[in-house]
Amino acid sequence: MGTHVCRKLLVQWMWRWRVCPVAASRGHMPFCTTQEPHHVNPSCTGQVTHSPVAQLTLSSLLEIGFSETQAEEMHEGATKSRGKHVPSVLTALLLLGLNPSSILKVMQKCPEVYSLKGADLKQRINHLRKMGLLEGSLQRMISHYPKIMVLPIKRVNMVSRLLKEKCLFTAQQVTDILRDSPEVLEEDLVQLEYKFQYAYFRMGVRQAEMLKAKVFRMSLSELRCRHCFLERRGLYQTPDKKGQTLIVNPPLNDVLCVSEETYLTQVAMATVEEFHVFRKLMTREQDEEGKEDEYSSDEDEELGEDKEDDDDDDDDGQHRRKHHWNTGYKKDRK
């Protein structure tokens, strides 16, 4: 069903299916099959009497384009969620341009949407539009990752600010990241920043390349594993300050944007067994690194306390160890 047809049916539906007066008097606001206030449908009245929360009726869902099976599933989901604003949420999704089939898939992926308020949903959709997500891209992103509709606007702004200020992506590049990899909105901010650092400094990848290869779709552990596996096999080398290498590195798309099977057969030239053994070794190395960092942090605290107690006049800090990584954020975008 096209967007124009959906909106036309929605207007007809909102005009024809009025709020049941019995429900209104009892504080409930379900959509009923009442066409005029003085012709109350008995079945509607009975349903409202036994309904503790607002909900859509099967007939109203059928009227706007849901099949019988889809209407039953939508009705069941709304009932289980006990959401009080399902009609307004459904209205917002229809006005967004999603057809009934897409709406049902959104609800299946993210049942939390049932519990949203229509006003909150509209506010979040408008905020995404202001960030540059235009029609088409916005609908596809919501269909693929409906959880973005339940995330607070504050969270979206935090991730966007980190990508701009710490990772030096442009505003348009941030929009592209959110469109192609909306999962970053749920990622831990420290891990997200470290993933950028790893791709930028260890792999020598610039912002535009990261976008093209969709780096942020891959987990940090998988990114490190694929990169280090190639590096230790002599198939990948970190570029120097001039961006040069002694070997020709494989295109980043071939490293990250392919299945594990394709990666092993066409890029790494290795067997599945070799890669799985290497993955286990990498996991062990990371665990050991974590323990060393924890020990080093504890030792720094002890040294700091001893320094304050025994040598207050020593200002050069030569005995105080600091675990610091020069991130080089002042480098230009490329």
Side-chain angles (χ1 to χ4, degrees):
M1 185 183 296
T3 302
H4 178 72
V5 178
C6 280
R7 292 181 177 176
K8 183 177 180 181
L9 285 175
L10 176 62
V11 173
Q12 294 175 350
W13 174 59
M14 294 175 66
W15 175 258
R16 292 179 59 191
W17 307 99
R18 307 291 181 84
V19 175
C20 177
V22 176
S25 65
R26 299 192 178 194
H28 302 302
M29 298 293 288
F31 278 82
C32 307
T33 54
T34 304
Q35 296 197 13
E36 294 297 336
H38 59 280
H39 292 143
V40 180
N41 192 323
S43 62
C44 174
T45 305
Q47 182 180 0
V48 173
T49 302
H50 298 90
S51 177
V53 294
Q55 59 184 340
L56 295 176
T57 63
L58 292 175
S59 57
S60 63
L61 291 170
L62 291 171
E63 184 70 18
I64 59 174
F66 287 92
S67 67
E68 291 186 6
T69 303
Q70 291 173 337
E72 290 175 358
E73 186 171 349
M74 177 69 70
H75 185 274
E76 182 181 358
T79 304
K80 287 182 178 180
S81 69
R82 302 178 68 86
K84 298 180 179 180
H85 306 278
V86 177
S88 61
V89 170
L90 180 58
T91 300
L93 293 176
L94 286 168
L95 289 174
L96 181 62
L98 299 181
N99 59 35
S101 179
S102 298
I103 292 174
L104 183 59
K105 290 179 180 178
V106 164
M107 299 301 195
Q108 290 170 339
K109 289 181 179 179
C110 187
E112 294 93 334
V113 177
Y114 282 115
S115 302
L116 281 178
K117 292 182 179 179
D120 292 342
L121 178 57
K122 291 178 182 178
Q123 185 181 21
R124 288 165 185 173
I125 290 174
N126 289 335
H127 182 70
L128 292 173
R129 284 195 177 105
K130 290 179 182 178
M131 295 185 69
L133 288 158
L134 305 178
E135 304 307 316
S137 296
L138 182 59
Q139 286 82 350
R140 284 192 298 272
M141 183 180 68
I142 289 177
S143 298
H144 168 68
Y145 188 73
K147 199 165 185 180
I148 194 172
M149 294 187 290
V150 300
L151 292 176
I153 291 177
K154 182 179 179 181
R155 175 66 185 183
V156 177
N157 289 338
M158 286 174 61
V159 174
S160 176
R161 187 163 56 251
L162 182 144
L163 292 172
K164 288 178 183 177
E165 297 178 1
K166 296 293 185 68
C167 306
L168 299 182
F169 287 102
T170 65
Q172 182 57 51
Q173 287 174 333
V174 171
T175 299
D176 293 341
I177 292 172
L178 296 182
R179 182 195 63 208
D180 297 332
S181 312
E183 296 84 357
V184 298
L185 294 172
E186 286 191 277
E187 195 166 347
D188 178 78
L189 295 182
V190 175
Q191 290 294 306
L192 180 60
E193 183 179 356
Y194 181 72
K195 186 189 296 185
F196 166 78
Q197 292 179 359
Y198 187 88
Y200 192 95
F201 296 108
R202 282 285 286 114
M203 299 180 68
V205 180
R206 298 300 180 258
Q207 285 86 345
E209 296 175 82
M210 292 184 200
L211 242 67
K212 187 176 180 181
K214 297 179 174 55
V215 166
F216 295 102
R217 282 189 179 181
M218 181 168 286
S219 67
L220 176 61
S221 59
E222 184 65 17
L223 176 67
R224 291 183 65 177
C225 192
R226 290 199 179 192
H227 164 249
C228 290
F229 189 60
L230 293 178
E231 190 176 51
R232 296 185 189 185
R233 292 176 67 85
L235 299 175
Y236 196 101
Q237 187 178 68
T238 302
D240 58 21
K241 293 181 179 180
K242 296 182 180 180
Q244 299 177 343
T245 57
L246 299 178
I247 63 173
V248 178
N249 287 335
L252 196 62
N253 284 342
D254 294 346
V255 178
L256 305 182
C257 299
V258 296
S259 65
E260 182 179 295
E261 181 182 359
T262 302
Y263 163 78
L264 291 174
T265 56
Q266 298 185 11
V267 183
M269 308 300 177
T271 64
V272 175
E273 291 76 14
E274 289 174 324
F275 187 57
H276 286 181
V277 169
F278 178 79
R279 190 192 300 276
K280 292 180 180 179
L281 293 174
M282 279 287 296
T283 302
R284 187 182 302 171
E285 287 182 8
Q286 292 174 22
D287 291 341
E288 292 175 354
E289 289 175 1
K291 292 179 181 179
E292 290 178 359
D293 290 341
E294 184 178 353
Y295 175 78
S296 177
S297 177
D298 294 339
E299 190 179 49
D300 288 347
E301 292 180 2
E302 292 177 0
L303 287 173
E305 292 175 357
D306 293 340
K307 182 176 179 62
E308 290 178 359
D309 295 337
D310 301 333
D311 194 5
D312 293 335
D313 297 330
D314 186 4
D315 296 328
D316 60 4
Q318 60 182 350
H319 298 298
R320 181 175 298 179
R321 297 170 55 197
K322 293 185 179 180
H323 188 68
H324 178 69
W325 186 0
N326 183 12
T327 54
Y329 283 140
K330 294 185 178 180
K331 292 188 176 183
D332 296 333
R333 295 189 188 95
K334 292 185 179 179

